[in-house]
Amino acid sequence: MNLIFLVSFILILFIIVEVSAIALKITGMDLHKARFQSLSALVTVGYTTSDSELVVQHPARRRVIMILMVMGYLGTATIVTALINILRHPLTLLQVATAVMIILAAVSVLFSKPLRVKLNRGIERQLSRSHALQKRPVEEVLRLDGQHGVAEVQLDSRAKLVGQTIAGSKIRDRGIFIMAIERQEVFIHAPRGNERLTDGDTLILYGELASIRSLL
């Protein structure tokens, strides 16, 4: 039964990764990035991306990742033990056939988009009941009203900000904060003051809408 246990255990780990990714999605992360972070934590692979900073800075996400890291170490030990037992005992035809059936069933679910979407929605609905995973609306976090808001502005060669650093532009003195910069294929989260603005940059700004209009 060691082979059947091993296959079933690995499938359970994949399910745990998907559940964790959906939990991270509920907190506001993109699902594809959440899957990458969950899988990285489970297999205890180090990663240094801007997305990992979003995980570390969020208490609910940190809890999810810490649980995955612990389960990853326990899972590695379990898999190694199962492999040793498999090598010590010869496999029977029944064990191999059962393992293949389990794998085929899992693959059929994986490649069935309607079923996968339905399962993901069910998991997300259950996890959404947890208050710790619920994300606050953007309006509540940023206190958006008629005078303050988030704006997306693209710089061109005529913009005064082009060529200046964020700190040198004194844009923060006007109550305007650059939350992110989209530059070609790169998305810079929370740019630092020494970041130099260039022609073609798309700025995600937060502040007084009147100040944003007068500035740009």
Side-chain angles (χ1 to χ4, degrees):
M1 299 296 289
N2 289 319
L3 179 61
I4 299 174
F5 170 79
L6 179 60
V7 172
S8 301
F9 184 76
I10 293 175
L11 291 177
I12 291 174
L13 291 180
F14 276 106
I15 294 173
I16 291 174
V17 169
E18 186 66 18
V19 172
S20 301
I22 294 174
L24 293 176
K25 175 190 173 185
I26 294 173
T27 66
M29 286 191 70
D30 175 75
L31 181 59
H32 297 290
K33 294 180 179 179
R35 284 198 182 105
F36 174 78
Q37 299 297 326
S38 299
L39 184 58
S40 299
L42 185 68
V43 298
T44 63
V45 174
Y47 51 92
T48 55
T49 66
S50 57
D51 298 324
S52 63
E53 296 179 3
L54 299 177
V55 172
V56 174
Q57 296 170 0
H58 195 289
R61 295 173 187 170
R62 285 200 304 268
R63 285 194 292 269
V64 173
I65 293 300
M66 284 190 295
I67 293 173
L68 284 172
M69 293 172 70
V70 173
M71 295 187 66
Y73 281 108
L74 296 176
T76 301
T78 303
I79 291 174
V80 171
T81 303
L83 287 174
I84 293 174
N85 290 330
I86 291 174
L87 294 175
R88 288 180 177 177
H89 302 88
L91 297 175
T92 65
L93 182 60
L94 179 60
Q95 290 177 344
V96 175
T98 305
V100 171
M101 290 178 62
I102 295 174
I103 294 174
L104 291 177
V107 170
S108 63
V109 173
L110 180 63
F111 285 93
S112 175
K113 186 174 180 180
L115 182 57
R116 191 172 69 251
V117 170
K118 186 175 181 180
L119 288 174
N120 286 353
R121 287 178 179 175
I123 295 172
E124 184 173 353
R125 187 165 52 250
Q126 294 297 322
L127 292 178
S128 297
R129 298 177 181 177
S130 173
H131 179 72
L133 294 177
Q134 291 177 355
K135 61 180 179 181
R136 298 166 64 190
V138 173
E139 293 81 1
E140 181 181 343
V141 176
L142 297 180
R143 300 291 192 271
L144 301 184
D145 52 32
Q147 298 179 344
H148 297 79
V150 177
E152 180 180 283
V153 177
Q154 186 173 22
L155 301 180
D156 56 27
S157 58
R158 297 172 297 174
K160 296 180 180 180
L161 295 177
V162 172
Q164 300 187 52
T165 63
I166 295 177
S169 68
K170 306 291 185 182
I171 190 173
R172 293 177 180 173
D173 294 343
R174 306 191 183 192
I176 301 173
F177 299 89
I178 300 179
M179 303 171 62
I181 301 175
E182 186 176 357
R183 180 175 296 157
Q184 296 179 355
E185 301 298 327
V186 179
F187 199 87
I188 305 172
H189 297 273
R192 298 180 181 273
N194 60 359
E195 186 70 43
R196 192 171 298 277
L197 303 175
T198 62
D199 182 12
D201 284 354
T202 298
L203 309 181
I204 310 299
L205 306 175
Y206 169 68
E208 293 186 0
L209 297 177
S211 298
I212 295 176
R213 295 191 191 97
S214 63
L215 178 67
L216 303 171

